[in-house]
Amino acid sequence: MRIKNKAAIAVAFLFGALMLIPLLWMIGTAFTETSFKMRIIPNTPFTLDNFKEVFTMIPLGQYYLNTIVIVVLTFSIQFVIITLGGYALARGDFYGEKLVMAIIFMQLIIPNDVLIVPNYLTMVDLKMVDTKLAIMLPFLGSAMGLFLLRQQFKTMPAALTDAARIDGASTMRIIWQIYVPNAKTAYLAFAMISVSYHWNNFLWPLIVTNSVSKRPLTVGLAVFAKSTETALLWGDICACAFVICAPLLILFFIFQKQFINSFASSGIK
Amino acid sequence: MNKRVSDKAKRTVSSWLLLLPGVALMSMFTVYPIFKNIYLSFCKTGFRYKVPKWVGTANFSALFADPVFWKVLKNTVAFSLMTVLPSMIIGFLLAIILNSKFRGLRFLRTAYFYPVVMPMIAVACIWRYLYMPENGMFSSLIYSIFHTRIGDLLSRTETVLPALAVMYVWKEIGYVMIFFLSGLQNMSEEYFEAAMIDGGNFWQILTRVTVPLMAPTTLFVTMIEITNSIKLVDHVVILTQGKPNNGSNLLMHYIYQLGYEFFDQGKAAAVTSILLVILLLSSLPRFFNSDRAIHYN
């Protein structure tokens, strides 16, 4: 179904402009001297003082490092786990296959974000409260990743594996040298979802950590925003929000199509 | 026959070895906590108890007798209604527009979708200012049109949930849109051309061809959107902390409050159990029509 009506297209553009207002305001406010009147297009001079201020007020550098460590480690470990598991599931035909699929669907229906109370107690038992590992651990066995890779690996022709096997290749070699290189799109899709999910995740890291050296950006910003009394600090808050959003937004503006496709292929954030 | 059995036995060993890390982690942080949570719902926990103490249904009867719980439940249902329906209607219309061909499509796609990749925490920090009572953007806009002050949207019971919902819809429509867009793109243009040749107008084609053809996608998006709207708390933590008078307290935030502000993890677990039932019920339709309705491919 397509639209050719000029008026409808004009409305679409107007709506697009409205959607952009919060972003424009955030960028404009972050990069100009703070004024008392809220304007979409700022009329105060350009400055980087807001950034200097937030970097001295809160340990943004440390938070940044923490977030990067969490995001990179989480995806790297997920990558190995879902590759091995995805291969087994795609090959199928083993005892207990249904059980594994049932566990996967369980996590797809009940996301770990909801299970904060029992998972927190598990972390207490494991003496892992206030560690980066505790932030990552519940998300490392990703049902969505396993499912995505299973679907992708299923499309590979069996002849490919058989040929490699006749040549004497081990299962591990088949996985890493034949399956992995041929599933780039699935990995890319999962990488974008995993990275943006963990870059933006908030409640679980808030609960399970309490020291600056472990906490990610989102928790840092939330603590800062709640400790300040609104009005006059908006330049600082916007600078801080900009610093947090910028990497993902820039990636999105460049790889727009891939981002949208990967979210469309997931169905779960 | 024998060879096939031993083949399958061999494959079982290697499959389980390959799946071991994934299954172990999922068991530990998804399966086990679900059962542990159900058990905890029937216990008292906290500083005074070394191990959780079994108290039967006391947590549930305390909850059901507490007007705050019912208010939170009502808020959660209201918030889901206020967000799921509008974001689906708007997302659907935007998908139809983006399925057309004209200059500026890339710009529009960016403008509609970018909020999805922003963290809710940052979004809430920005919208806190947009909603400010005196010089916030909304109140200035309304003042310049209607010459009345709307006051603080986030501190009045009648306006706080709708205000949170508007922000949420702004963040979510891009996400909803892409599912409808991929649904539309998988649909043959022939249906629409046939309908147009038969003299159907835009409205007739929309309601009698497009909407029925999109039913599986719509079902799938509804499930996801209900789950998403229920599990999110970040906006409540930043903007209202459930205030005023629990007027914006939602189930997931209530769990957080009970467990980590009031340190009553038994009661928090009881609310979580109720939330689990809601999530299970709202995802049931997905499995009635499994392969068609699950849209993961």
Side-chain angles (χ1 to χ4, degrees), chain B residues 128-227:
Chain B
R128 182 163 73 154
Y129 294 118
L130 300 185
Y131 279 146
M132 273 195 324
E134 284 301 317
N135 40 7
M137 213 166 270
F138 278 93
S139 62
S140 310
L141 186 74
I142 295 201
Y143 185 74
S144 64
I145 301 171
F146 300 108
H147 297 282
T148 51
R149 287 272 170 218
I150 44 168
D152 192 351
L153 292 171
L154 294 176
S155 67
R156 285 212 315 268
T157 20
E158 323 82 78
T159 53
V160 65
L161 273 185
L164 290 181
V166 168
M167 177 185 78
Y168 183 85
V169 169
W170 169 82
K171 182 158 168 30
E172 201 73 5
I173 40 178
Y175 188 62
V176 175
M177 175 191 79
I178 56 168
F179 293 110
F180 285 124
L181 186 57
S182 73
L184 283 173
Q185 282 167 348
N186 290 332
M187 216 181 267
S188 166
E189 271 301 305
E190 283 168 27
Y191 295 119
F192 306 113
E193 279 156 18
M196 241 138 71
I197 291 166
D198 288 346
N201 65 27
F202 174 78
W203 187 247
Q204 285 169 329
I205 295 176
L206 181 72
T207 53
R208 294 189 201 158
V209 183
T210 316
V211 171
L213 281 174
M214 294 289 269
T217 312
T218 310
L219 178 70
F220 165 78
V221 177
T222 315
M223 306 291 100
I224 290 189
E225 281 306 296
I226 292 174
T227 309

Side-chain angles (χ1 to χ4, degrees), chain B residues 248-297:
Chain B
S248 66
N249 208 348
L250 304 177
L251 270 179
M252 205 51 219
H253 183 260
Y254 190 47
I255 292 171
Y256 166 69
Q257 269 188 331
L258 286 173
Y260 301 94
E261 284 174 16
F262 308 143
F263 300 103
D264 188 348
Q265 283 169 329
K267 219 169 171 185
V271 182
T272 308
S273 294
I274 294 166
L275 188 65
L276 295 184
V277 172
I278 297 174
L279 285 177
L280 276 178
L281 288 180
S282 65
S283 61
L284 274 184
R286 253 209 252 189
F287 294 94
F288 282 134
N289 193 1
S290 60
D291 274 335
R292 190 71 191 87
I294 300 173
H295 183 99
Y296 292 108
N297 47 0

